[in-house]
Amino acid sequence: MRAVLADLSVPRYLLTAIPATRRFAGMLSLRDDVPAPALPDAPGWLLLRPELAGVCGSDVAVAQAKSSVVLSAFYAARKQILGHEIVAVDEATGERFALDPVISCVHRGFDPCRSCREGHPYVCERFDQPGVTGCRSPTQGFDAALGGGWGELVAAHRSQLHPVGPTPSRRAVLAEPASIALHAALRWRRTGDRAVVIGPGTIGLLTVAALRRLHPGLDITVVGPGAQRATTGADRALDSGPHVVEALAELHGGRVIRPKITRTPILEQGVDVVFDCVARPQTIDLGLHLLRPTGTLVLVGGAGRQRVDWSLVWNRQLTVQGTVNSGPEETLGGRTTMSQVVEWLADPAYPVDDLVTHTYVLPEWRTALETAAAGPRAGAVKVTLRANPGVPLVP
């Protein structure tokens, strides 16, 4: 089958990681001879044709050899077909599905591990044991064994599939990132009335949309380059930088405290929660300076090895909460965030129509990655790929 195949052999990885040559051709190539994913020898599996697949920041990181060295332990497959944000069709029935890419014990044919038993399949402890699936990754899209959205076929278990009916393709393809955003939003048990979301990319804007659905009266500020394009429910948008502290102090009546030497002041009487959907040193630092005592910083972005002054965490008794993937939620009565957002996406009032900004076919995969990597500079939010141009998009 045709697919964009990633070969993560050490020589290719090292060549791609050299800054002077860090392009997208080092480890990725478009191939016409990629083996189709084999259906696992277990009930409930079927082959689907991706209708549309997203280009995620983690895909860009793989292509540029910028993925976390620590997390390489979790994504060890040498051959990968990227693309884990997928809306696909069962050709036999014509039914369309959003795919939950998490592969846990139940899919691998194992008795549940502790994480799976406790309702956290998205951090399954047998992530690297293929079982019946052949997949050595926590999710699809990072091992060629089950395929990915950047290929013509993908194998999936029925328990991963959420029917999307006539939901437009450009909305349905957002199910996976929207489920991550809702999972992140639910990590905060509401303790106040003011929230900041840093990073107006796909996950950031979907986090805003989730917060607005969960907490209609919440005051939400979105912060980041190009934040003025936010149309998913924020009360205001601010460009990033230390001036955000003063802007919010003026809006809400907080006090500005200025440490010696450092550029970023502290917002006394600050906000209740910050969702950092970028998680770089400057955004983490800003988030810590914006929070009131006992506030919560939710790290939604892929934080790696970074130098950050964490003094405010203990001095103001802050909570730093990590979040990854999506899954069942106690606050949703045990339902998954994916099942919830599929319902939201079917509702035209859920304001996400403008998030898919670019769509390319597989031969244009380099352009797709370059556009996604450029982000606001290219006017891009969510970039998508069509592996099967013969599969019509639903308008």
Side-chain angles (χ1 to χ4, degrees):
M1 71 170 184
R2 171 174 274 201
V4 176
L5 185 69
D7 181 351
L8 274 66
S9 63
V10 172
R12 286 180 177 270
Y13 182 91
L14 293 176
L15 178 63
T16 304
I18 299 172
T21 61
R22 184 173 274 149
R23 300 290 292 172
F24 297 116
M27 295 185 294
L28 274 64
S29 61
L30 179 62
R31 302 275 295 273
D32 292 315
D33 59 349
V34 179
L39 285 177
D41 185 16
W45 289 86
L46 64 159
L47 284 176
L48 303 170
R49 284 197 177 273
E51 179 179 298
L52 204 59
V55 179
C56 177
S58 57
D59 299 324
V60 176
V62 169
Q64 292 184 322
K66 289 184 177 179
S67 300
S68 164
V69 175
V70 172
L71 296 186
S72 66
F74 295 86
Y75 300 91
R78 175 180 167 180
K79 302 287 188 180
Q80 300 183 7
I81 299 175
L82 300 178
H84 55 278
E85 304 172 355
I86 305 170
V87 56
V89 62
D90 180 351
E91 288 187 305
T93 65
E95 193 168 11
R96 304 169 62 236
F97 301 99
L99 174 65
D100 184 342
V102 172
I103 304 294
S104 62
C105 286
V106 66
H107 306 111
R108 301 178 197 275
F110 300 138
D111 291 334
C113 66
R114 177 175 177 176
S115 291
C116 289
R117 287 197 309 271
E118 293 180 351
H120 310 299
Y122 43 88
V123 284
C124 174
E125 295 167 16
R126 296 195 177 98
F127 62 89
D128 59 343
Q129 299 175 30
V132 299
T133 67
C135 180
R136 298 180 180 273
S137 169
T139 68
Q140 284 171 290
F142 294 97
D143 189 333
L146 295 176
W150 299 9
E152 292 178 323
L153 291 168
V154 60
H157 191 269
R158 291 191 181 276
S159 64
Q160 297 174 263
L161 303 178
H162 297 263
V164 295
T167 299
S169 303
R170 290 162 65 90
R171 292 175 69 90
V173 75
L174 296 171
E176 195 272 345
S179 70
I180 288 176
L182 176 55
H183 181 67
L186 291 172
R187 306 281 61 77
W188 177 54
R189 301 293 187 256
R190 184 171 179 176
T191 54
D193 299 318
R194 291 183 291 161
V196 168
V197 177
I198 299 177
T202 303
I203 294 294
L205 295 179
L206 288 171
T207 299
V208 171
L211 288 169
R212 181 58 70 217
R213 283 262 167 159
L214 295 171
H215 312 293
L218 187 67
D219 184 281
I220 305 172
T221 302
V222 62
V223 174
Q228 283 71 21
R229 69 186 173 210
T231 58
T232 54
D235 291 278
R236 69 194 60 82
L238 301 172
D239 284 329
S240 56
H243 68 276
V244 172
V245 174
E246 295 177 347
L248 292 182
E250 184 175 347
L251 280 166
H252 301 306
R255 292 194 298 123
V256 176
I257 301 173
R258 301 186 185 279
K260 298 176 181 178
I261 302 175
T262 63
R263 292 180 62 240
T264 306
I266 298 168
L267 180 59
E268 190 59 79
Q269 303 153 9
V271 302
D272 302 287
V273 63
V274 173
F275 295 87
D276 187 344
C277 301
V278 180
R280 293 178 182 163
Q282 60 270 31
T283 61
I284 295 173
D285 185 67
L286 177 61
L288 295 174
H289 283 69
L290 290 173
L291 285 166
R292 65 170 175 82
T294 73
T296 299
L297 173 65
V298 182
L299 292 178
V300 191
R305 180 186 298 177
Q306 296 161 347
R307 185 174 180 176
V308 175
D309 186 339
W310 296 99
S311 301
L312 290 170
V313 174
W314 63 263
N315 183 264
R316 294 164 78 79
Q317 198 167 308
L318 305 178
T319 296
V320 179
Q321 171 70 60
T323 178
V324 69
N325 295 332
S326 64
E329 296 286 349
E330 183 179 347
T331 53
L332 298 178
R335 298 175 66 217
T336 65
T337 53
M338 176 73 82
S339 62
Q340 180 62 74
V341 299
V342 164
E343 291 183 9
W344 289 354
L345 289 163
D347 177 4
Y350 183 53
V352 297
D353 281 333
D354 297 331
L355 295 194
V356 174
T357 55
H358 298 75
T359 298
Y360 299 96
V361 292
L362 279 190
E364 300 172 310
W365 64 270
R366 287 187 182 85
T367 303
L369 280 166
E370 289 167 356
T371 304
R377 290 181 285 110
V381 183
K382 174 52 62 184
V383 177
T384 58
L385 277 171
R386 293 184 71 185
N388 292 290
V391 175
L393 299 183
V394 175

